[in-house]
Amino acid sequence: MATPSWLANFRACAWGTVSLSAAEFAAVSAYARETHPADAIVESCQRLEVYGFGDCECWAPARLDGWAALERLAAVAAGLDAVVLGERQIMGQVRMAFRGTRGSLRAAADVALAAAREARRTFPVRSHAGHLLDRALSEVGILPVGKLLVLGTGAMGRLIAQRGQELGFDVTACGRRDPGLDLPFVPIAQVASLPAVDVVVGCLGSAAGLIDPAVLPRARLIIDLGTPRNFAESTDVPIVRLEDLIGAEQRRPHATALRARLRAELGSILSRRLARHAEDAAHPIGRFRKAAEELRRHALLRALDSAPDADREAVDRALRSATNRLLHDLTFSLRTRNDLELAEKLANALEAVTASCQGSTNELALAGSPSPGWQRGHHVV
């Protein structure tokens, strides 16, 4: 398989953060940013990962290089490693991490994100982080009835609150600002004055610090979805944490098999996209497609010269669509068979046609009249 020159030096340094305290998380985040100033850093509720190039001597517990690093990035973006398969928010987090990057780092992100988007269309279930509520209730055998208090009104808190309503809970949101979900809202400073509830869910950010469950309303269950953890240990009420849900998911054979199958499919998609990306002007297939595009461009110019009042964008779309239809199967065959010799011959032929078209264009410019050959479309790809 053809690969771009940057792939061999691509690197991922990864920390699992789901079980870290606030102080530990802050220390890891600061260290990662200090030691990787030019790299892209992906932070989510489960991980902190740094993607870049070249040697690195940081103390990250996991290090991946080359293909493995790129596959990891694609899997993270697709939500294959999320506790909820295909979690929607992670794609945006990865895009944000690579925003403003250029060169090879941008190229790696583009390939990985494109593969992730394509792979996600094959996922069997469209879930979101709000379904962590279902998982936690199932883990301890509690039915979704009674009162649900959601601490935090960010993206995660809103999804949990909405899911709680769908399940039949009487939901109250508690945070710094009203999420506007048409449900009761209580400012976070007043949480201690609330009456007893059935379930409390923590979806607070890292700045919230560690909360003593004793200051919360009395509850049958606490669900801690914070990274770092939102709540200190308690002997009075059971607490289901994010790491508990991850462990439970990993113990489900069906879920493990499904993720393995989807990961293999993602790998195939990534390989195909990576091969296309590697087909630059120096690669036979890339040279063939570039020659075809150059010929298409000449056809566009001649068509517009023959019909100066035509809609340029419409003609361009029509020619581009025709070119793609004509060349799709041939290009697919060249890639599948890795027939670089035939690709070279086709590139040579198209470049020769393009050269003759260029000559005709020059003659046309001198004569000031259209060329009959081009009017008949002899050279349109």
Side-chain angles (χ1 to χ4, degrees):
M1 179 184 74
T3 59
S5 58
W6 51 257
L7 180 61
N9 294 319
F10 190 53
R11 160 188 44 78
C13 306
W15 288 262
T17 60
V18 69
S19 61
L20 298 183
S21 67
E24 291 169 334
F25 181 88
V28 169
S29 180
Y31 174 78
R33 296 179 187 284
E34 179 184 348
T35 53
H36 303 83
D39 295 343
I41 300 178
V42 177
E43 280 192 29
S44 74
C45 61
Q46 295 175 234
R47 67 187 60 82
L48 188 152
E49 301 189 355
V50 182
Y51 295 90
F53 290 91
D55 296 333
C56 178
E57 298 182 357
C58 75
W59 47 262
R63 179 80 56 81
L64 298 169
D65 296 292
W67 165 261
L70 190 66
E71 186 181 39
R72 170 69 173 178
L73 177 58
V76 169
L80 265 178
D81 293 322
V83 63
V84 176
L85 177 64
E87 182 184 340
R88 300 169 190 171
Q89 288 72 34
I90 187 63
M91 179 75 78
Q93 292 168 344
V94 173
R95 279 200 302 265
M96 184 63 67
F98 283 87
R99 193 168 77 173
T101 58
R102 293 181 174 81
S104 297
L105 195 55
R106 179 73 254 175
D110 287 344
V111 173
L113 285 166
R117 282 192 295 269
E118 183 177 346
R120 284 167 68 95
R121 292 195 287 269
T122 71
F123 286 13
V125 179
R126 293 291 186 264
S127 297
H128 58 71
H131 289 88
L132 290 174
L133 177 59
D134 304 62
R135 300 277 186 86
L137 295 173
S138 175
E139 189 70 8
V140 294
I142 290 182
L143 295 176
V145 293
K147 297 182 178 181
L148 173 68
L149 175 63
V150 180
L151 301 183
T153 54
M156 173 75 85
R158 291 194 297 271
L159 289 171
I160 292 293
Q162 290 170 334
R163 183 57 181 162
Q165 286 184 307
E166 293 169 359
L167 292 174
F169 277 111
D170 179 9
V171 181
T172 297
C174 182
R176 290 187 176 86
R177 58 181 61 88
D178 191 332
L181 295 177
D182 194 25
L183 51 79
F185 170 75
V186 175
I188 192 73
Q190 300 176 20
V191 66
S193 64
L194 292 175
V197 298
D198 292 278
V199 179
V200 174
V201 183
C203 306
L204 298 168
S206 58
L210 204 60
I211 299 173
D212 184 347
V215 305
L216 299 174
R218 194 159 36 94
R220 299 165 54 205
L221 173 68
I222 292 177
I223 302 172
D224 191 344
L225 301 181
T227 301
R229 294 178 174 182
N230 288 165
F231 307 112
E233 296 294 341
S234 172
T235 57
D236 298 326
V237 58
I239 300 179
V240 176
R241 301 191 188 275
L242 195 57
E243 57 261 43
D244 300 323
L245 301 180
I246 294 172
E249 176 76 0
Q250 293 171 345
R251 292 191 296 271
R252 295 171 56 212
H254 174 73
T256 302
L258 173 61
R259 292 188 188 232
R261 177 175 64 80
L262 294 175
R263 190 178 297 275
E265 292 177 4
L266 173 63
S268 297
I269 293 169
L270 184 61
S271 295
R272 185 173 69 251
R273 287 190 171 273
L274 196 61
R276 291 182 189 178
H277 184 83
E279 292 168 2
D280 57 16
H283 189 277
I285 297 177
R287 200 177 133 227
F288 161 60
R289 290 306 302 243
K290 181 181 178 183
E293 173 59 22
E294 184 67 13
L295 196 53
R296 187 200 67 80
R297 190 180 66 82
H298 278 285
L300 173 64
L301 293 175
R302 296 307 297 260
L304 293 173
D305 184 80
S306 300
D309 296 329
D311 184 331
R312 179 186 178 93
E313 292 187 2
V315 176
D316 189 24
R317 284 197 302 271
L319 282 173
R320 192 179 300 278
S321 176
T323 301
N324 289 336
R325 284 198 304 272
L326 286 169
L327 297 183
H328 177 272
D329 290 344
L330 175 56
T331 306
F332 179 78
S333 176
L334 292 172
R335 288 173 177 144
T336 303
R337 294 157 45 199
N338 197 32
D339 195 340
L340 303 186
E341 182 178 355
L342 178 57
E344 288 278 8
K345 292 179 180 178
L346 290 169
N348 290 336
L350 288 182
E351 286 170 355
V353 174
T354 301
S356 68
C357 293
Q358 184 65 51
S360 299
T361 302
N362 293 337
E363 293 172 7
L364 175 65
L366 291 173
S369 60
S371 165
W374 270 103
Q375 286 178 331
R376 293 193 297 270
H378 289 176
H379 300 304
V380 176
V381 177

